[in-house]
Amino acid sequence: MKELKYKLQNYKLKVEFRDEVDAATFDFIEKSIEDEIENYKEITTLEDTNSQIYKFNTALSEFSGSRDFFDYLMDAIYWFGITDGIFNPFVVTTVQKDFENIQNSNQWEKDSLFKLKQISHDFPRNIGELRKYVDIDYTNYQVKFLRPLKLDLIGISKGIFIDKICKRLCKHVNNMAINFGGDKFYKTDDPENPWVVSIDNPVTNEKAEINLTAANQAVSVSGNIGANDVIDDLSKYVILDPKNQKPFNNDLAIVIVKADNSKTADVLAKAFLIGTEDERNRLAKKFPDIKRIEIDDKGKLIVY
């Protein structure tokens, strides 16, 4: 089975091909993936001063970006709304009166992980509150900040990235699997011969306790991912509860979601992991067609 491997930010990207691929098609595939990688980094790399997300996060009054960046932004806002704020990409915002004291200094630009200590923090909880922070012109790809705002796309960007690769390659490849940081998509031209996805139980260490089939479907794993081969440095893998900006703390160890596309699976796996039981139940009613598996902190497996 032919494959391509990359390191992208803190994650590992692997693309596998079940069928033989001729040299010309393989070159096209490789070039397409590398183009998407460069675009992904240009949009989402928080530490790169030339990236669009860095410019968005350091803008004081206005921001102009590319159509690709606004596609990410629109998706992030949509999922922020539909999950009732369980998925919240707006990591940190500041109260205006506190921010005015530092807006002319360089402290804001140095705040790579949103850890300014000398200002109070505030968070939009829903779409209505978000309108107090930004005025977005989607036609001209511009944002006017009514109050300072910062964005982190990590909770959705991997899923969007996989879907973009699939869109570019779907006419040229019949059978492939894309795995990026715990988010996966499996394409096949024969639904009767699906891909088999095996996932270990991270609590009991039972090997391949979970076996799913996927045919033109996405699978996302979120939570205590253990020592699987998707992340280079597990110490950098932290999922925050947007309500308090602290690592999530509930009785779930891992959540697996299977959906029709990677963006949906990526966001919902994190939302189901972070949300309370009541929030998870309300969210599940909005997505009755997805498959969801939860493993609690004692290793018990529940399939929905």
Side-chain angles (χ1 to χ4, degrees):
M1 185 179 292
K2 208 166 189 178
E3 62 182 34
L4 291 167
K5 291 183 178 182
Y6 305 87
K7 178 183 176 181
L8 181 51
Q9 295 174 350
N10 190 42
Y11 300 98
K12 297 177 181 180
L13 168 65
K14 181 168 71 173
V15 185
E16 302 174 75
F17 307 96
R18 183 183 278 173
D19 300 333
E20 289 295 324
V21 180
D22 62 67
T25 301
F26 191 79
D27 288 345
F28 169 81
I29 291 169
E30 196 168 23
K31 177 65 165 55
S32 298
I33 293 173
E34 289 171 357
D35 286 346
E36 289 297 335
I37 287 174
E38 289 305 310
N39 189 49
Y40 180 85
K41 291 191 294 186
E42 195 274 333
I43 289 173
T44 67
T45 308
L46 289 166
E47 300 82 7
D48 182 357
T49 59
N50 293 315
S51 73
Q52 295 204 45
I53 195 167
Y54 183 93
K55 293 175 181 177
F56 180 97
N57 285 339
T58 55
L60 299 181
S61 57
E62 295 182 349
F63 166 81
S64 296
S66 69
R67 177 173 181 174
D68 282 340
F69 178 84
F70 271 75
D71 286 344
Y72 276 80
L73 178 61
M74 291 171 68
D75 280 328
I77 292 172
Y78 169 80
W79 284 99
F80 172 56
I82 201 168
T83 63
D84 298 320
I86 305 173
F87 166 76
N88 189 346
F90 302 101
V91 180
V92 166
T93 62
T94 62
V95 178
Q96 183 67 43
K97 62 182 177 61
D98 298 318
F99 183 76
E100 289 170 354
N101 296 325
I102 64 164
Q103 62 181 346
N104 294 322
S105 74
N106 64 357
Q107 291 171 291
W108 181 256
E109 285 76 8
K110 291 181 179 179
D111 178 31
S112 62
L113 291 178
F114 321 130
K115 293 180 179 177
L116 283 173
K117 301 299 183 183
Q118 68 272 44
I119 56 178
S120 301
H121 292 112
D122 186 19
F123 308 94
R125 304 294 183 184
N126 52 53
I127 292 295
E129 286 191 12
L130 183 62
R131 296 191 181 101
K132 300 175 183 178
Y133 291 78
V134 290
D135 182 9
I136 302 176
D137 181 350
Y138 294 108
T139 301
N140 297 305
Y141 313 127
Q142 295 178 336
V143 173
K144 179 180 179 182
F145 294 96
L146 308 177
R147 297 171 66 180
L149 183 73
K150 289 195 174 186
L151 175 70
D152 189 348
L153 291 168
I154 195 62
I156 192 172
S157 60
K158 298 196 301 327
I160 295 175
F161 173 70
I162 291 174
D163 288 340
K164 284 179 174 289
I165 291 178
C166 289
K167 185 176 180 179
R168 290 189 68 158
L169 301 185
C170 65
K171 294 182 180 179
H172 306 274
V173 182
N174 292 324
N175 295 281
M176 68 178 174
I178 304 173
N179 187 340
F180 182 35
D183 296 301
K184 320 169 202 299
F185 189 86
Y186 300 90
K187 184 181 186 304
T188 177
D189 61 350
D190 181 11
E192 299 301 318
N193 183 27
W195 291 76
V196 177
V197 189
S198 297
I199 301 170
D200 301 342
N201 187 320
V203 180
T204 63
N205 293 317
E206 292 291 331
K207 298 297 183 183
E209 182 174 6
I210 304 162
N211 289 288
L212 298 172
T213 58
N216 302 313
Q217 293 169 305
V219 175
S220 183
V221 181
S222 193
N224 177 14
I225 60 170
N228 61 20
D229 188 34
V230 298
I231 293 180
D232 285 328
D233 184 357
L234 285 171
S235 68
K236 297 180 180 179
Y237 181 77
V238 179
I239 298 177
L240 298 180
D241 183 338
K243 298 182 185 68
N244 54 30
Q245 294 302 299
K246 295 179 181 180
F248 81 96
N249 182 24
N250 59 27
D251 60 353
L252 292 180
I254 193 172
V255 172
I256 303 161
V257 168
K258 183 168 77 170
D260 289 338
N261 60 78
S262 289
K263 178 170 56 181
T264 298
D266 188 14
V267 173
L268 291 183
K270 293 178 180 66
F272 282 121
L273 179 74
I274 294 169
T276 64
E277 184 175 358
D278 286 343
E279 289 172 332
R280 297 198 300 269
N281 290 336
R282 288 198 300 271
L283 188 58
K285 292 178 181 179
K286 296 182 180 181
F287 299 92
D289 295 330
I290 71 160
K291 184 179 183 66
R292 171 170 124 248
I293 299 173
E294 296 177 354
I295 298 178
D296 67 18
D297 54 10
K298 295 180 176 59
K300 181 180 178 182
L301 188 151
I302 305 173
V303 179
Y304 294 90

